[in-house]
Amino acid sequence: MFAYLMRRVIFLIPTLLLVSIISFSIIHIAPGDPAELLLTGPDGVADPQVVEEFRKEMGFDQPLHIQYGTWLMHVLSGDLGYSYMTDQPVTKAILHNFGATFKLALVSMIFTLLIAIPGGIIAALAKDTWKDDLSRFISLFGVSIPNFWQGYLMILVFALFLDILPVGGYGDGGDITHMILPALTLGTSSAAVLMRLMRSSLLDVLDHDYILSARARGLPEYIVIGKHALKNAFIPVVTMMGLSFGYLLNGSVIIETVFAWPGIGSLMVNSIYSRDYPMIQGTLLFVAGIFVLINLLVDISYAYLDPRLRYDKGNI
């Protein structure tokens, strides 16, 4: 098990290195000179001398590999630089906004699992019945609705017509009442995909010989399903759960905008609008790091759910 995990961790190193190169390159790929764009006054003109001093101060006059090496050393020490707009540490801003996104993602994932897992299991066990048809209809409906439209619809119903939930915002430290509508919007869209996958995966497992053998031995149905079928059916579902949670953790830009939620997604959008390159670089690197970490946790869960991976020495 330890060797398996070490191989996975080592495999992440080139991935993170590639992500760091892409993040660093943003400031050079974007059109225009960042120094001129940032220092252009209301009259649309930037003082050439001030621009040149700023370029030297930020190290933009150095060769690219020198700039990247310097930036990477700062990143490895936890320093993502300072925001051009607020002059505040990028790391501090990201962690502050990520706290709001983490709360929203956690509640959204709870809604997702409460809807998807029972719904997928019921649909699989009641195949080709009205319960299965209802489950598939709900899944198709959830996948088809755009997030922004669902968000506005929920605001219209629950905030304006019924007046039982706030329209948006963060509230007093992100209280649960402000979290329900955006979390439900995010959770139902993820649940639709996860429910379909749970159903198809469980149906596939129920056709295997070891399930038929367990039933032939007279084992109770709840043991056949709970102990033998579900554990194997969860293997592909765990992948989707990890990707869904990674998506939620990195912040849904649309949902955070609709509900005025101050998360990592809205921070990235505002940074792009203001051409705050250190903030853009930092948020992109942070978002990619979250996905890499989620994928590692998914690999660990694979090793638990499928013991064959732990003993397959050729598996990388």
Side-chain angles (χ1 to χ4, degrees), residues 147-158:
N147 264 352
F148 70 91
W149 187 84
Q150 182 184 354
Y152 285 124
L153 183 63
M154 296 186 78
I155 290 175
L156 185 66
V157 174
F158 294 102

Side-chain angles (χ1 to χ4, degrees), residues 166-270:
V167 174
Y170 192 58
D172 186 12
D175 61 84
I176 190 65
T177 57
H178 286 78
M179 217 179 299
I180 291 177
L181 287 184
L184 266 176
T185 304
L186 285 172
T188 50
S189 59
S190 299
V193 177
L194 201 61
M195 186 188 297
R196 293 171 64 92
L197 183 60
M198 183 75 243
R199 175 188 178 274
S200 61
S201 180
L202 184 56
L203 284 175
D204 180 63
V205 169
L206 290 175
D207 288 335
H208 287 183
D209 291 339
Y210 65 88
I211 297 296
L212 301 177
S213 176
R215 285 172 170 166
R217 294 200 307 269
L219 292 178
E221 189 67 10
Y222 71 89
I223 293 181
V224 174
I225 301 299
K227 184 177 181 180
H228 298 285
L230 283 181
K231 184 176 181 180
N232 292 284
F234 266 116
I235 294 178
V237 175
V238 165
T239 302
M240 184 56 66
M241 288 172 57
L243 293 176
S244 297
F245 194 55
Y247 161 75
L248 296 174
L249 275 179
N250 288 311
S252 172
V253 175
I254 295 176
I255 297 304
E256 289 187 358
T257 302
V258 169
F259 290 97
W261 191 263
I264 197 76
S266 59
L267 176 64
M268 181 178 290
V269 171
N270 293 334

Side-chain angles (χ1 to χ4, degrees), residues 6-273:
M6 287 304 299
R7 288 198 299 271
R8 292 300 183 183
V9 171
I10 293 174
F11 183 73
L12 296 180
I13 295 176
T15 303
L16 290 174
L17 186 61
L18 179 60
V19 169
S20 71
I21 294 175
I22 296 174
S23 301
F24 170 78
S25 301
I26 286 179
I27 195 172
H28 301 284
I29 295 176
D33 184 347
E36 291 184 0
L37 292 172
L38 290 169
L39 298 177
T40 298
D43 56 354
V45 179
D47 187 337
Q49 183 177 354
V50 175
V51 170
E52 187 62 27
E53 291 177 357
F54 179 81
R55 188 179 287 112
K56 290 181 180 181
E57 180 183 351
M58 301 306 299
F60 293 155
D61 59 331
Q62 299 291 326
L64 284 180
H65 66 280
I66 299 296
Q67 293 185 47
Y68 172 71
T70 303
W71 177 79
L72 184 60
M73 292 302 296
H74 285 290
V75 168
L76 293 176
S77 65
D79 179 14
L80 295 176
Y82 286 80
S83 167
Y84 287 162
M85 298 295 105
T86 64
D87 202 30
Q88 296 296 314
V90 171
T91 304
K92 182 179 179 180
I94 290 176
L95 293 179
H96 174 75
N97 285 64
F98 182 70
T101 295
F102 182 79
K103 294 177 183 178
L104 181 61
L106 192 60
V107 177
S108 300
M109 199 63 194
I110 291 174
F111 283 138
T112 297
L113 297 179
L114 289 177
I115 297 171
I117 302 303
I121 294 174
I122 292 172
L125 298 180
K127 181 183 178 184
D128 296 330
T129 66
W130 67 269
K131 295 178 182 179
D132 188 21
D133 293 337
L134 179 62
S135 173
R136 283 185 287 180
F137 173 77
I138 293 174
S139 298
L140 181 61
F141 188 71
V143 171
S144 304
I145 299 179
N147 264 352
F148 70 91
W149 187 84
Q150 182 184 354
Y152 285 124
L153 183 63
M154 296 186 78
I155 290 175
L156 185 66
V157 174
F158 294 102
L160 299 181
F161 287 168
L162 300 179
D163 195 22
I164 57 177
L165 291 171
V167 174
Y170 192 58
D172 186 12
D175 61 84
I176 190 65
T177 57
H178 286 78
M179 217 179 299
I180 291 177
L181 287 184
L184 266 176
T185 304
L186 285 172
T188 50
S189 59
S190 299
V193 177
L194 201 61
M195 186 188 297
R196 293 171 64 92
L197 183 60
M198 183 75 243
R199 175 188 178 274
S200 61
S201 180
L202 184 56
L203 284 175
D204 180 63
V205 169
L206 290 175
D207 288 335
H208 287 183
D209 291 339
Y210 65 88
I211 297 296
L212 301 177
S213 176
R215 285 172 170 166
R217 294 200 307 269
L219 292 178
E221 189 67 10
Y222 71 89
I223 293 181
V224 174
I225 301 299
K227 184 177 181 180
H228 298 285
L230 283 181
K231 184 176 181 180
N232 292 284
F234 266 116
I235 294 178
V237 175
V238 165
T239 302
M240 184 56 66
M241 288 172 57
L243 293 176
S244 297
F245 194 55
Y247 161 75
L248 296 174
L249 275 179
N250 288 311
S252 172
V253 175
I254 295 176
I255 297 304
E256 289 187 358
T257 302
V258 169
F259 290 97
W261 191 263
I264 197 76
S266 59
L267 176 64
M268 181 178 290
V269 171
N270 293 334
S271 301
I272 293 173
Y273 284 152

